[in-house]
Amino acid sequence: MNSSQKPSTLSKPDTLKPEQTDVLSAAEHGQINLDNHINPENQNHWVIAGIKHEIFMRVFPSLRHGLVGPISIARMSISIVRRLLARGDASLTSLNEPVERIDQQLAEAVLGIRNLQNWEPGSKPQTQQLVEIISEGMALMTAPLAMREIVLDYVTDASAAEQSVSNPSALLYTWLGVLCYFQDSLQQACTLNIVLQAQSLTVRHDVSAASNARASGRAANAKVIARAIDKDALVALASAGDFALSLQSDGLQLTWD
């Protein structure tokens, strides 16, 4: 480029139709109404993507902790090896155990990093054991729920033991959405009683008398959650995954074919 030329800037093409020019002008001034310019199906896609993003960001600290744990243990083992080498009396026998531990922990960390690809759309296996999905969701949400004094009590019916699911990613996100829903909506300490069957998942919240006594004070001091997983978000998420959702005053039930 000639030094005397100014760098090019984005401008409106001369070939735009009048209605397209109106859209560009409105977008430049932040006045565009997206409802009139986005295909309804596309709009629903982005709504669901936004809900999933919020859910992922909530479980990300648990995922990160699971990745850092093995690496921290491996670093401790490396410190042991360094001390043995520094003393000058390290034998192959004394080094075998810490080296094997390092190898195991690094292999676990690598597996965890590779499993992150399961969160990419369409990358999760086509089928997965139902029990594995529900257990994975509980493992990711146990700590966040504990911070709200919400405890999980889980029972698996014999019919669900060998059941496989053909859309594991959709079920995992919906199940995490259910747990996030209770995280946001419950204002008192309670137990979530979870019953898993072959084609349904039932969750009931059991609130103790002591928790009820503190509930009004907590509700008064509760902060508004900017991106809460509310009833509408949960219904949209379940519908996108082809699950039937039934909400009751003391819990909900999720069913599938």
Side-chain angles (χ1 to χ4, degrees), residues 178-194:
V178 166
L179 295 175
C180 289
Y181 167 75
F182 286 114
Q183 178 190 21
D184 294 342
S185 61
L186 295 175
Q187 299 297 333
Q188 62 267 55
C190 70
T191 298
L192 293 182
N193 297 307
I194 303 163

Side-chain angles (χ1 to χ4, degrees), residues 202-233:
T202 305
V203 185
R204 297 278 183 265
H205 50 79
D206 181 17
V207 182
S208 65
S211 296
N212 266 327
R214 303 195 304 267
S216 58
R218 286 193 179 191
N221 297 323
K223 295 180 179 179
V224 176
I225 301 174
R227 295 183 300 273
I229 303 299
D230 57 12
K231 179 180 70 174
D232 293 335

Side-chain angles (χ1 to χ4, degrees), residues 124-128 133 164-173 240-243 256-257:
K124 207 168 178 62
Q126 293 300 311
T127 59
Q128 189 175 356
I133 298 171
S164 295
V165 177
S166 60
N167 54 347
S169 179
L171 180 56
L172 177 60
Y173 266 113
D242 292 328
F243 303 112
W256 53 86
D257 296 330

Side-chain angles (χ1 to χ4, degrees), residues 22-151:
D22 292 341
V23 171
L24 268 180
S25 178
E28 288 174 354
H29 295 87
Q31 298 170 341
I32 188 170
N33 184 351
L34 293 180
D35 291 338
N36 296 332
H37 300 283
I38 296 182
N39 181 288
E41 185 177 343
N42 226 11
Q43 187 173 357
N44 184 64
H45 166 79
W46 284 110
V47 168
I48 299 303
I51 297 170
K52 288 183 176 181
H53 178 266
E54 171 62 19
I55 291 171
F56 178 77
M57 293 309 296
R58 293 198 192 189
V59 301
F60 181 73
S62 297
L63 291 171
R64 179 180 58 202
H65 178 77
L67 295 175
V68 171
I71 296 174
S72 297
I73 296 174
R75 291 187 65 187
M76 291 172 59
S77 299
I78 290 173
S79 297
I80 294 173
V81 171
R82 283 176 175 169
R83 285 199 297 270
L84 290 172
L85 293 174
R87 288 205 304 260
D89 58 354
S91 63
L92 291 177
T93 304
S94 63
L95 291 175
N96 277 339
E97 183 179 348
V99 168
E100 287 180 5
R101 191 182 304 119
I102 292 169
D103 184 61
Q104 292 172 359
Q105 296 303 323
L106 290 179
E108 184 179 339
V110 169
L111 179 61
I113 293 170
R114 285 178 177 168
N115 286 340
L116 287 176
Q117 69 182 351
N118 291 338
W119 293 91
E120 298 175 6
S123 62
K124 207 168 178 62
Q126 293 300 311
T127 59
Q128 189 175 356
Q129 290 294 105
L130 175 61
V131 174
E132 290 180 4
I133 298 171
I134 304 306
S135 298
E136 182 179 356
M138 289 193 297
L140 291 170
M141 284 299 295
T142 295
L145 289 171
M147 295 180 66
R148 298 294 299 271
E149 298 183 69
I150 300 174
V151 179

